[in-house]
């Protein structure tokens, strides 16, 4: 019996199921001339928006940015850098990515900088002269237009700064010519003390770190407590992590079991304090009230619901961004110091003294 199959099966399949190749219309990459025409402005204004958007009125800048979005225009960063001698990037140097304070700081900065076409480059440096210097050198090697120092600056950084620089948060030193924008941690510490004293607590412990912000919070807290004639019980730690809070609270409770309230240098240490209290069968706030600092996402969580001092780090970030932009325009500006006022946020971890 002879086979009735076609001699060339593959060819027949191709004939039966022809491959149709759609011809795409030729397109080209939009230019600034296209953007200018679409927005009804001049090409030079489009270039100005790309290079120095802060010099363009909000209405005209938004019109250009809308045209870019509608046309799918993507500027060449290399070309923009060559034309303006700027990279449109800001370096942010932090010392501990686990610290939630940096989250609000970064969010505040980007709320201002992103609209103007700036990008934030983040470098995390662990404590130590060489590590901090290496992290800063890495950012400067990327030719950032300005630098934000949210860590303890090294000796070389204190001596001089290469680009417009703003220090965010209390530090042991501020580089010459740099601005300082920080929270009023001294006032915030006093605010925490007033809250606990107002609830009738007279045996108050404080879990403190050793950095600049912790020192200011401790000073404000101590001033108000001592002014009320109450002894302050301090458990100091090198760090401000959850583990540091657990160890410091354990020491405090072992040496001062009659403590009725604890003020932690930040919300993370407060969480560590909760663990130490739970291990001893103590209730919060029934047996001991706990107040933190930063009003971080930890404090805001429904489960923890921590009374905390809101240091408004988002406002610090916003002020940092505005100051950077001003200093980029005029590097010779006199350095300034700005304090952001804190606010008390009362939640369920503080109550009137039970004993």
């Amino acid at each position: 019996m002879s086979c009735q199959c076609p001699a060339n099966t593959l060819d027949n399949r191709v004939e039966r199921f022809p491959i149709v190749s759609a011809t795409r219309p030729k397109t080209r990459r939009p230019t600034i001339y296209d953007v200018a025409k679409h927005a009804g402005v001049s090409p030079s204004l489009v270039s100005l928006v790309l290079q120095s958007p802060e010099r363009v009125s909000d209405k005209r800048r938004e019109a250009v940015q809308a045209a870019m979005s509608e046309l799918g225009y993507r500027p060449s960063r290399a070309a923009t850098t060559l034309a303006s001698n700027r990279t449109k990037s800001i370096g942010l140097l932090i010392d501990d990515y686990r610290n939630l304070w940096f989250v609000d700081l970064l969010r505040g900065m980007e709320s201002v900088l992103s609209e103007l076409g700036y990008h934030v480059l983040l470098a995390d440096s662990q404590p130590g002269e060489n590590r901090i210097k290496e992290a800063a050198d890495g950012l400067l090697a990327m030719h950032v237009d300005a630098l934000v120092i949210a860590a303890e600056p090294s000796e070389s950084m204190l001596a001089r700064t290469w680009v417009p620089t703003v220090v965010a948060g209390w530090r042991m030193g501020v580089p010459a010519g740099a601005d300082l924008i920080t929270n009023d941690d001294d006032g915030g510490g006093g605010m925490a003390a007033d809250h606990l004293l107002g609830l009738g607590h007279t045996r108050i412990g404080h879990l403190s770190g050793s950095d600049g912000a912790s020192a200011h919070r401790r000073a404000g807290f101590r001033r108000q407590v001592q002014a009320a004639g109450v002894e302050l019980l301090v458990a100091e730690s090198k760090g401000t992590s959850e583990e540091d809070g657990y160890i410091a609270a354990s020491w405090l409770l072992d040496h001062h079991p009659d403590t009725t309230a604890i003020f932690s240098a930040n919300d993370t240490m407060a969480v560590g304090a909760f663990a130490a209290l739970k291990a001893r069968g103590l209730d919060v706030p029934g047996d001991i009230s706990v107040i933190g600092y930063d009003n971080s996402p930890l404090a805001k969580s429904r489960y923890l619901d921590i009374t905390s001092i809101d240091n408004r780090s988002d406002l610090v970030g916003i002020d940092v961004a505005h100051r950077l932009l001003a200093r980029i325009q005029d590097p010779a500006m006199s350095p300034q110091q700005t304090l952001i006022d804190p606010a008390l946020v009362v939640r369920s971890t503080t109550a009137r003294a039970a004993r």
Side-chain angles (χ1 to χ4, degrees), residues 8 20 43 70 98 109 150 157 186 244 257 297 326:
N8 192 326
V20 179
E70 292 172 15
R98 297 169 299 179
M109 288 176 56
M157 294 168 66
D186 188 285
D244 293 322

Side-chain angles (χ1 to χ4, degrees), residues 162-196:
W162 296 94
V163 296
T165 301
V166 174
V167 175
W170 291 112
R171 307 298 162 190
M172 301 306 291
V174 177
D179 299 283
L180 172 65
I181 298 177
T182 185
N183 321 96
D184 183 4
D185 291 298
D186 188 285
M191 195 175 288
D194 289 341
H195 176 61
L196 295 178

Side-chain angles (χ1 to χ4, degrees), residues 82-102:
L82 290 173
S84 64
N85 198 30
R86 292 180 184 173
T87 61
K88 303 292 289 186
S89 59
I90 304 295
L92 173 58
L93 177 64
I94 67 174
D95 57 9
D96 186 355
Y97 65 89
R98 297 169 299 179
N99 190 335
L100 297 177
W101 182 83
F102 296 118

Side-chain angles (χ1 to χ4, degrees), residues 61-282:
R61 184 178 68 247
E62 290 169 2
V64 171
Q65 290 172 338
M68 290 179 182
S69 177
E70 292 172 15
L71 296 176
Y73 175 77
R74 297 291 182 271
S76 167
R77 291 188 64 82
T80 303
T81 298
L82 290 173
S84 64
N85 198 30
R86 292 180 184 173
T87 61
K88 303 292 289 186
S89 59
I90 304 295
L92 173 58
L93 177 64
I94 67 174
D95 57 9
D96 186 355
Y97 65 89
R98 297 169 299 179
N99 190 335
L100 297 177
W101 182 83
F102 296 118
V103 177
D104 287 336
L105 174 71
L106 181 59
R107 182 166 60 245
M109 288 176 56
E110 290 194 327
S111 69
V112 176
L113 297 173
S114 61
E115 292 184 359
L116 299 177
Y118 283 88
H119 298 265
V120 178
L121 305 179
L122 182 66
D124 177 32
S125 69
Q126 297 300 317
E129 175 78 14
N130 290 335
R131 293 295 300 275
I132 292 174
K133 183 178 183 301
E134 289 173 2
D137 287 346
L139 289 173
L140 294 173
M142 297 179 186
H143 301 285
V144 293
D145 296 330
L147 182 65
V148 179
I149 301 176
E152 290 298 339
S154 64
E155 290 297 326
S156 60
M157 294 168 66
L158 289 174
R160 58 177 176 173
T161 52
W162 296 94
V163 296
T165 301
V166 174
V167 175
W170 291 112
R171 307 298 162 190
M172 301 306 291
V174 177
D179 299 283
L180 172 65
I181 298 177
T182 185
N183 321 96
D184 183 4
D185 291 298
D186 188 285
M191 195 175 288
D194 289 341
H195 176 61
L196 295 178
L197 291 168
L199 292 173
H201 294 281
T202 57
R203 296 294 293 171
I204 302 175
H206 176 41
L207 313 183
S208 178
S210 59
D211 61 8
S214 294
H216 283 274
R217 294 171 188 180
R218 181 171 63 249
F221 191 77
R222 184 190 299 277
R223 182 185 64 252
Q224 294 302 100
V225 169
Q226 291 181 341
V230 173
E231 179 186 5
L232 177 60
L233 314 172
V234 179
E236 187 169 349
S237 173
K238 289 185 178 180
T240 56
S241 68
E242 181 179 343
E243 182 65 16
D244 293 322
Y246 176 81
I247 294 173
S250 297
W251 181 91
L252 178 69
L253 296 170
D254 288 343
H255 290 80
H256 303 283
D258 56 345
T259 299
T260 64
I262 292 176
F263 168 47
S264 298
N266 63 18
D267 296 331
T268 307
M269 289 190 84
V271 173
F274 291 156
L277 292 167
K278 182 178 180 181
R280 289 160 176 76
L282 297 173

Side-chain angles (χ1 to χ4, degrees), residues 192 195-196 199 201 261-262 284-286 288-292 305-308 344-353:
H195 176 61
L196 295 178
L199 292 173
H201 294 281
I262 292 176
V284 178
I288 296 184
S289 289
V290 177
I291 181 172
D305 201 38
I306 306 172
T307 295
S308 185
L344 171 67
V345 181
V346 179
R347 296 191 178 93
S348 65
T349 60
T350 52
R352 296 200 62 82

